[in-house]
Amino acid sequence: MKTQHRRRSRERGLFRTIRPLTAIAALSIAGLALAGCTGQGSGGGGGDETDASGKVTLDFWNGFTGPDGPALEKVIDDFNASQDEVEVTANIMPWDTLYQKVLTSVAGSDGPDIIAMSASRMPQFASQGLFEGLDDYYTDDAHDSAALAETAVEASVYDGVNYGVPVNFTPMMMYYNKDLFSAAGLDPEAPPATWDELAAMVPKLTVDDNGDGKPEQYALAIADHETVPVMASLLWGTGGGITNADGTESTLADPASIEALDFWVSLIRDQKATQIGMSGADADKLFQTQKAAIEIVGPWMTTGFDEAGLNYGLAKPPAGPSDEAVLADVVSMGLPAGTSDAKKKAAYEFFAYWNSAEGQTTWADGSGFPPNRADVADKVTASPYPAIFGAEDVTSVSKTLLPGIAAGGPIMETIFNPSVQKALNGEGSVQDIFTAASEQVQAELDK
Amino acid sequence: MTTTSTAEPRVRAPRADTSPPRRRRMSVTARRSLTAWLFLTPTLLILIAFTVYPMVQAAYLSFTDYNLIRAAQWVGLDNYIELLSDDAFWNAFGNTVLYAAVVTPVTVVLALAFALMLNQAFVGRAFARTAIFLPFIVSLGIIAIAWAFLLDPNIGLLSHWLSLVGIVPEQGWLSDPRYAMAAVMVVGVWKNVGFYMVIYLAGLQSIPVDMYEAARLDGAGVWQRFRNVTLPLLSNQTLLVSVLALIATLQAFDQIYVMTRGGPFFRTETLVMLVYREGFQELRFGYASAISFVLVLFVFVLSMVQFGYLRRKQVTY
């Protein structure tokens, strides 16, 4: 009884001193929660149309993190200086970060005003209602769109509506290490022009010095995930592919596709032509450190290869038995759905400048990418690469992968790439793996 | 109130009784519970805002086709029905169970073993304790990148050492389907074992020394002392550690995401990674919510079973 009294009295004392503190704490937390709510409500970048000086400001998200970044900023600076109504700011981040952030940012109306992304990813986002249709951009003659390469323009069409304006249009080319060719007793000026020539060179370019079954030098650097879809484009070489032309039917299990897959899987798995399980960055590293003799990749790697001191040559990728199979990658700029008329008009001005003869000359000169329009090719003098990548015989045969197919991203990442990995690891025959994959692709197309 | 009161037992000093009786508007119990609620309020507010509300929201979303941009459409049980026949779900489910079934017991046993070793006095004990605990406080993203480098087939130090003793995977450790899961498991154990070791160390230090002396007098050997004194008296820690470890492993995401992205061909994709992929890559937040809910249920049921089982084996003294 007595003990209880004592405890009670002590507690009362504690209670008395603590009460104000608790009240303060509770109030401040409630205050924080309220502040949090209001902050969310009034937030959102879409609000400000113009800056203090009355210019329309455009936040341009893109992934040109390489040496192409400064070239992009140069064109933007030129545009900002060329007029006094629109101010574009580039927000450069890695592509995968951009893809991860863009949806949540736009949904929270805190996103970019202009979004650049690979045109192959655009249909997926467009089908979800992320992008504004831009057909009226192309119907306005003032924008001079007729001069643009057709493949570059058509890459961003989904369901009959064009959702993008091209930033760049790039065929993938074959880089080959001349020193490694010489060391293998091959003519450094005669890169393989066909699949058969390549297959004949693979044993000479593969070096396993210590005989542990793991080559120290590979003939090729081909990635099977997180990369430009070079592997998928190889199916074109035999007249195969992942889908038919209008993207309604899977052709992955067609004899032509299986023939191409058989050829490449056996070259890689049985002859160890490349290291298995590489990401795009791994493959670049392998070629850059002279552990691979050939890589098919875009011009963004040239600076890196130059800095590594490689003695390399550039050629069109080896042709398949029935097609040249040159993959092109197009990056397009789109506008988020619900963009205001003022911002849309301002963005159109920027798009037109970007794709003008002047803008494209600066871009190609600085980045090494070929220009989006043929009529400025001879004005690009600062770098030899735009001329090589933009050569008529390359651009005329190059194609984009799965254009206009909303399920393109998921098909590549969750069906095609894992199936290739499966085949390369010998987990089933090419025929079985890709027959199953073909059914999955069809299911995606039918969704 | 000097000599007499000190001679008396302390409980006899009735300060509350000597002070004049006060009028109370509230009963003591009510006041005490009010205090408790006031103390709990900040935490409860945070919990409601950041845990309860999102959970309710996610439960609602799991019955819709929400995609972040468009308004959500009610689709009833469609997501749950689709899930049952989704190979990707069952693959991720299997991987998650495998990961948890291996990593949880290995972590708990290793944590106990380290704790027993590091409870002995020896030169360099502080260093060893720190070395084992350190991975736990480093960000998982950094750890995973470091391990990816160590295991890189071309430049990896660990790959190099293993190749010196003749262990050469045909390809990179993380891209070979036979080793990828094992590789991420090793990192998972290594990362967390230090934390559980500290819990065990605290438990070991609370065991009275005289219990061991008594056991020794009774003729108990090292193993018998461990089996009959240490292990039972650590049952509280074992309950805590195994429940925590199981919940953590069932939610494995970050280190696997950074190291393998779930590859090769989804061999290391866990349920949480599938949630991420369906949600943020395929823009199906409704479906992702349904998967999350199945995972929450699974974790809840398993934890309860585990709790009930270990609780019965608990020893108090």
Side-chain angles (χ1 to χ4, degrees), chain A residues 149-304:
Chain A
E150 219 176 282
T151 320
V153 173
E154 280 167 7
S156 47
V157 176
Y158 167 68
D159 210 11
V161 179
N162 203 331
Y163 289 95
V165 173
V167 177
N168 67 32
F169 163 59
T170 326
M172 301 299 125
M173 294 283 276
M174 175 172 67
Y175 289 74
Y176 66 99
N177 188 317
K178 291 186 178 179
D179 293 345
L180 297 184
F181 267 61
S182 302
L186 297 166
D187 180 357
E189 300 309 322
T194 65
W195 287 8
D196 289 338
E197 283 179 34
L198 175 72
M201 291 179 183
V202 164
K204 294 177 189 159
L205 292 168
T206 308
V207 181
D208 182 7
D209 280 328
N210 54 13
D212 62 358
K214 186 173 176 286
E216 278 72 53
Q217 179 192 308
Y218 294 91
L220 297 160
I222 295 190
D224 59 27
H225 64 285
E226 287 173 67
T227 182
V228 202
V230 170
M231 192 81 95
S233 73
L234 295 170
L235 270 62
W236 296 333
T238 53
I242 297 178
T243 69
N244 62 353
D246 56 5
T248 53
E249 261 173 60
S250 166
T251 54
L252 203 44
D254 287 6
S257 304
I258 297 293
E259 187 195 338
L261 285 161
D262 266 330
F263 176 86
W264 285 96
V265 167
S266 112
L267 202 63
I268 293 170
R269 192 180 64 198
D270 306 336
Q271 306 218 41
K272 297 186 166 41
T274 190
Q275 190 169 312
I276 299 172
M278 288 192 294
S279 69
D282 294 332
D284 295 340
K285 206 161 56 193
L286 204 69
F287 184 79
Q288 200 159 355
T289 53
Q290 312 220 41
K291 286 180 177 165
I294 296 171
E295 184 181 12
I296 299 173
V297 74
W300 52 84
M301 285 312 297
T302 24
T303 315

Side-chain angles (χ1 to χ4, degrees), chain A residues 2 31 96 126 136 139 152 155 180 184 202-203 206 216 292 295 331 341 350 371 390 395 400 406 415 426 439:
Chain A
K2 300 271 166 150
D96 54 345
D136 54 341
T139 50
L180 297 184
V202 164
T206 308
E216 278 72 53
E295 184 181 12
V331 172
D341 285 346
F350 172 64
T395 53
T400 54
I415 305 172
E439 283 166 20

Side-chain angles (χ1 to χ4, degrees), chain B residues 145-289:
Chain B
I145 291 173
W147 273 90
F149 267 119
L150 286 173
L151 293 169
D152 186 290
N154 298 310
I155 56 165
L157 197 59
L158 202 57
S159 295
H160 177 68
W161 287 340
L162 288 170
S163 75
L164 289 184
V165 291
I167 306 172
V168 186
E170 248 176 82
Q171 37 193 286
W173 290 100
L174 297 175
S175 54
D176 192 315
R178 282 166 299 176
Y179 306 116
M181 186 52 119
V184 294
M185 282 174 171
V186 167
V187 178
V189 171
W190 176 81
K191 157 85 182 161
N192 290 317
V193 74
F195 174 67
Y196 301 120
M197 174 193 78
V198 168
I199 295 178
Y200 268 130
L201 266 178
L204 280 175
Q205 280 159 12
S206 71
I207 298 177
V209 185
D210 42 358
M211 294 206 129
Y212 287 107
E213 279 165 8
R216 203 174 285 129
L217 284 177
D218 288 342
V222 176
W223 170 249
Q224 278 177 317
R225 287 203 300 273
F226 171 73
R227 180 76 189 74
N228 297 315
V229 180
T230 314
L231 213 49
L233 290 181
L234 283 177
S235 59
N236 277 321
Q237 281 74 26
T238 304
L239 171 69
L240 177 70
V241 162
S242 31
V243 173
L244 283 182
L246 181 76
I247 295 175
T249 49
L250 286 173
Q251 297 181 59
F253 173 77
D254 26 18
Q255 113 250 10
I256 305 182
Y257 181 79
V258 178
M259 288 176 75
T260 66
R261 299 266 152 138
F265 45 93
F266 307 117
R267 277 288 170 83
T268 57
E269 185 172 73
T270 60
L271 278 176
V272 184
M273 292 180 72
L274 181 65
V275 169
Y276 177 81
R277 176 157 71 84
E278 289 289 351
F280 289 91
Q281 285 173 6
E282 305 198 9
L283 320 180
R284 302 180 65 202
F285 287 87
Y287 190 56
S289 302

